[in-house]
Amino acid sequence: MKNLVILGGGYGGMKILTSIIPNLPYNVLVTLIDKAPFHFLKTEYYALAAGTVSDKHIRIPFPKHPQVSLINGEVSSLDLDKKKILLKNKEPIHFDDLIIGLGCEDNYHNIPGADTYTHSIQSVNKSQKTYNHLNELEPNSCVAIIGGGLSGVELAAELTENRSDLRITLFDSGKMILSSYPARVSRYVKKWFETHGVAIVRNSNITRIEKNIVYNHAEAIFFDCIVWTAGVKPNSVVQKLPVEKDKKGRVLLTKYHHLHHNEHVFVVGDCASLNKPPSAQLAEGQAEQIASVLIARWKGEKLPEYMPEIRLKGILGSLGKKHGFGLVANKPLTGRVPRLIKLGVLWKDKTKKRQFSK
């Protein structure tokens, strides 16, 4: 029997599982290793931290199959030469084929104190801890959200609707909020925040963070809670791997998404060096291609000379429960329509994934 090990049950790992299960040969066992007993919808962690959903609303059981087993554990390191996965407080796991989908972690950009004195929404546990802290704040408490990208904007909006008694400040290093989006979207989000009393600090430069203090351009500002959403980097286990990487520390891959010198080790999701910004949609698109490569090998088929481009349908963001923004087919969207579309996409995603857990 051969053992295919999938590290991480995020969007990429989950998509590979659901794609290969109908095509599993009798002599292949699949081992999924994840710290959590469920697949969690990471794109909704902002709502978990804001207190508008509970973890049971964003969790989905992993697929059930007689050839698939789940190990709840944390990966400490990988020995690719010996084909071993070292786990914390557990026996090592051997693999014949390996898929690394360990995701990302906060990138603090070497800012002193950022890793110690800020809260996070990068994992379900960290999001729950952030919610607990925010929930305990007294009325009129001041909250800083560092990072004006999609995660920071969605968190600020959701928290504003759920806790209108809080004074929220969103720090953005750009000249305009969501500067990578079309100007129409940026203006709409800016106006929404102004209407709802969220302060936006543009052209920010966070130089240091101490307990309850943010230093912006060396000016100290007090906050009762500080949440970090200012960028990510590959998982620390991947950072330590002696393999080729790009400038952002993501692993360089062949067109078939495996290492250049090891066709049995694939990388999916945030740790993979692709020509598009990391996203759940990109991870799932890449996962479909990895699954097709594995299935072709199992059937003894020749791999295609070219792999198709992974096409993304667009990006959608929420501004509370009724409004949103996005970019679909290169067309900017604002208002209720993108929010409704996102709800539909989320419902469809949950429904499809739960079919495999029955």
Side-chain angles (χ1 to χ4, degrees), residues 3-276:
N3 195 22
L4 165 64
V5 179
I6 302 175
L7 302 182
Y11 288 96
M14 185 71 161
K15 187 66 175 179
I16 289 172
L17 258 183
T18 56
S19 299
I20 65 174
I21 280 177
N23 299 279
L24 269 178
Y26 72 93
N27 64 338
V28 174
L29 297 177
V30 180
T31 303
L32 172 65
I33 301 176
D34 196 281
K35 290 188 288 187
F38 299 96
H39 166 72
F40 284 96
L41 302 175
K42 187 177 181 180
T43 57
E44 302 304 299
Y45 282 176
Y46 73 92
L48 182 61
T52 54
V53 301
S54 67
D55 64 343
K56 70 178 182 180
H57 291 105
I58 61 171
R59 73 186 187 197
I60 298 171
F62 288 118
K64 295 180 180 179
H65 189 274
Q67 290 171 247
V68 176
S69 60
L70 171 65
I71 295 178
N72 287 128
E74 184 175 354
V75 179
S76 58
S77 63
L78 302 175
D79 190 330
L80 300 183
D81 293 329
K82 295 182 179 180
K83 295 188 174 183
K84 278 188 178 181
I85 301 155
L86 303 181
L87 303 175
K88 292 184 179 179
N89 304 317
K90 292 182 183 290
E91 291 296 315
I93 303 296
H94 170 82
F95 68 85
D96 294 291
D97 289 297
L98 177 66
I99 298 168
I100 303 173
L102 292 172
C104 60
E105 56 191 50
D106 287 299
N107 187 348
Y108 296 106
H109 307 288
N110 296 317
I111 296 174
D115 59 339
T116 304
Y117 299 112
T118 67
H119 294 270
S120 170
I121 60 170
Q122 278 304 313
S123 72
V124 65
N125 289 334
K126 289 181 178 180
S127 298
Q128 288 172 325
K129 289 179 181 179
T130 299
Y131 162 71
N132 291 335
H133 187 79
L134 289 167
N135 191 49
E136 293 172 356
L137 294 177
E138 298 289 337
N140 295 315
S141 293
C142 298
V143 177
I145 298 176
I146 312 296
L150 180 60
S151 296
V153 166
E154 289 191 306
L155 175 61
E158 197 82 2
L159 186 59
T160 297
E161 283 200 349
N162 192 42
R163 289 290 307 271
S164 59
D165 58 312
L166 299 177
R167 292 185 286 172
I168 300 171
T169 300
L170 180 62
F171 288 86
D172 184 18
S173 60
K175 295 180 180 179
M176 291 186 67
I177 195 78
L178 294 175
S179 57
S180 61
Y181 287 71
R184 172 186 164 185
V185 173
S186 298
R187 289 194 298 266
Y188 178 82
V189 174
K190 177 176 177 289
K191 184 177 180 180
W192 193 95
F193 279 138
E194 290 173 347
T195 302
H196 290 78
V198 176
I200 300 175
V201 179
R202 294 175 292 178
N203 296 308
S204 65
N205 180 24
I206 309 303
T207 55
R208 185 180 184 85
I209 293 180
E210 296 177 356
K211 185 176 181 179
N212 298 117
I213 300 176
V214 173
Y215 287 84
N216 181 36
H217 294 282
E219 177 189 356
I221 311 170
F222 176 86
F223 290 97
D224 296 285
C225 180
I226 306 168
V227 185
W228 189 269
T229 63
V232 295
K233 59 184 178 181
N235 182 281
S236 58
V237 172
V238 174
Q239 293 178 42
K240 298 173 185 175
L241 283 179
V243 297
E244 295 178 287
K245 299 169 188 167
D246 63 17
K247 293 180 180 180
K248 294 184 178 180
R250 298 175 300 192
V251 180
L252 295 173
L253 304 169
T254 69
K255 59 186 175 184
Y256 302 119
H257 307 290
H258 58 66
L259 300 182
H260 283 277
H261 303 293
N262 192 334
E263 64 177 15
H264 297 287
V265 178
F266 299 80
V267 182
V268 65
D270 296 334
C271 295
S273 180
L274 303 173
N275 59 355
K276 293 179 173 65

